[in-house]
Amino acid sequence: MMDKQPETGGAYQHIVRAEGISLSYGKIRALQGIDLAIGRNEIVGLIGDNGAGKSTLIKVLTGVVRPTSGKLYIRDKPVDWTHYSVREAHRLRFETVYQEKSLGEKQPLWRNIFVGRQITNRFGFIKVAEERRIANDLLKNQLGFRGVGIDADSTISKLSGGERQGIAIGRAMHFDSDLIILDEPTVALAISEVRKVLDFVRSIKASGRACIYIEHNLAHVHALADRLIVLDRGRIVADIKSGEMTLEELTKFLIDLQQSGHAVGVG
Ligand SMILES: Nc1ncnc2c1ncn2[C@@H]1O[C@H](COP(=O)(O)OP(=O)(O)O)[C@@H](O)[C@H]1O
Ligand SMILES: [Mg+2]
């Protein structure tokens, strides 16, 4: 596990808070005035139709793209956009499992686990044996890849969709992240693999961390999340605490939203 750094420990109310975040891609207003705060041990489900802005929002939170306007606070401290990047988000212990392929196809597993965060000796050389050993331990003991013919030297291209998500999730576990963001991690998975991802989300909660979980399967997020945030055409249109809506009510709400053709302000 990585050492605790001063700015990542201590007392804080929100692991991340966004204020008035807007982002346009040319004429497309992907995000419009997003206000959002995630508590330090909160599991927040982010839902909404394709194109609603879910992936764009998490890309802003994790330093992949810079918004057109708005503010970001991490552990209650303002972020300077000019110094915010994926690397900085990693350093602040945010880990993201992206919807798009985020692993190097031809690279062995151990390289993928440590990409961007190599273990080096004092001369700057990568400690290959140590990375390989940790990768094998992660595969066998944490991810349950036992006896399926996969080890630290297997290449990513040999893995199924679920196994790839497992690697990305294993990375988040190893680096002891405080905020883990999953962008539709179950979309291409078999049912048995979906269960593993859901168990992992539960373990994030149990270990005191926070999670933003983007999921198209409403039953899954409804069952797991402390709070659900609904995005519609770049705006937050509902913020629903666990227990406030049944799954049926939630489903109806989203269908009505789709049919209304335009966003209605709720909550
Ligand atoms: N790199 C990009 N360039 C141009 N438009 C984009 C880009 N990424 C996303 N968009 C557009 O922004 C909107 C929100 O997309 P996205 O955040 O991917 O939605 P979601 O993840 O909710 O399906 C969509 O209209 C999408 O086409
Ligand atoms: Mg998306």
Side-chain angles (χ1 to χ4, degrees):
M1 299 287 165
M2 297 188 102
D3 289 329
K4 289 258 182 206
Q5 289 158 352
E7 68 268 55
T8 59
Y12 59 86
Q13 190 184 1
H14 295 115
I15 181 74
V16 68
R17 183 160 66 85
E19 230 178 62
I21 299 274
S22 296
L23 191 153
S24 296
Y25 288 113
K27 283 183 183 162
I28 299 167
R29 303 212 283 174
L31 298 173
Q32 302 184 54
I34 297 290
D35 294 322
L36 157 119
I38 311 290
R40 57 189 297 164
N41 186 206
E42 227 189 350
I43 307 295
V44 174
L46 195 55
I47 53 181
D49 233 342
N50 284 334
K54 305 179 297 295
S55 294
T56 303
L57 176 56
I58 61 132
K59 283 176 184 166
V60 169
L61 301 183
T62 57
V64 178
V65 290
R66 213 164 277 174
T68 316
S69 60
K71 290 182 179 148
L72 188 68
Y73 299 84
I74 295 178
R75 296 182 185 78
D76 307 332
K77 295 199 182 83
V79 164
D80 175 359
W81 290 118
T82 57
H83 294 115
Y84 197 52
S85 61
V86 173
R87 180 181 282 262
E88 179 65 5
H90 274 155
R91 204 182 63 80
L92 292 168
R93 295 149 70 102
F94 286 12
E95 185 71 41
T96 312
V97 178
Y98 292 103
Q99 182 174 24
E100 302 100 66
K101 274 184 251 170
S102 58
L103 302 168
E105 288 287 311
K106 287 176 183 153
Q107 303 249 304
L109 290 186
W110 64 271
R111 275 202 181 277
N112 270 282
I113 289 170
F114 290 97
V115 69
R117 281 173 292 186
Q118 305 288 356
I119 304 173
T120 51
N121 66 17
R122 63 199 175 92
F123 305 110
F125 291 113
I126 296 171
K127 292 180 162 179
V128 174
E130 189 173 345
E131 291 192 356
R132 206 181 248 134
R133 183 182 57 72
I134 294 171
N136 270 322
D137 178 68
L138 212 57
L139 289 170
K140 284 205 193 81
N141 300 323
Q142 311 229 38
L143 297 171
F145 278 48
R146 232 177 282 256
V148 288
I150 293 167
D151 64 20
D153 291 303
S154 307
T155 53
I156 293 293
S157 57
K158 294 216 173 73
L159 303 187
S160 74
E163 288 162 347
R164 286 169 199 230
Q165 289 297 343
I167 299 301
I169 286 168
R171 198 158 63 183
M173 289 162 84
H174 176 70
F175 289 104
D176 202 17
S177 311
D178 288 333
L179 174 68
I180 298 169
I181 300 173
L182 306 170
D183 192 353
E184 303 207 38
T186 65
V187 77
L189 305 191
I191 291 168
S192 59
E193 294 183 308
V194 170
R195 185 165 300 266
K196 278 188 204 159
V197 173
L198 299 181
D199 285 345
F200 176 67
V201 176
R202 285 190 195 95
S203 76
I204 296 174
K205 176 74 181 175
S207 63
R209 301 149 207 243
C211 175
I212 300 175
Y213 180 28
I214 301 179
E215 174 61 68
H216 63 286
N217 183 311
L218 292 182
H220 290 162
V221 262
H222 184 267
L224 282 177
D226 297 315
R227 196 150 60 91
L228 294 171
I229 290 175
V230 184
L231 268 181
D232 183 50
R233 277 149 284 185
R235 295 179 196 275
I236 292 178
V237 294
D239 191 330
I240 306 155
K241 286 199 190 70
S242 174
E244 277 181 0
M245 268 193 200
T246 63
L247 178 58
E248 288 69 30
E249 287 165 342
L250 177 68
T251 307
K252 183 175 184 310
F253 175 80
L254 291 172
I255 291 170
D256 289 350
L257 194 64
Q258 247 175 24
Q259 290 175 344
S260 75
H262 54 81
V264 278
V266 179

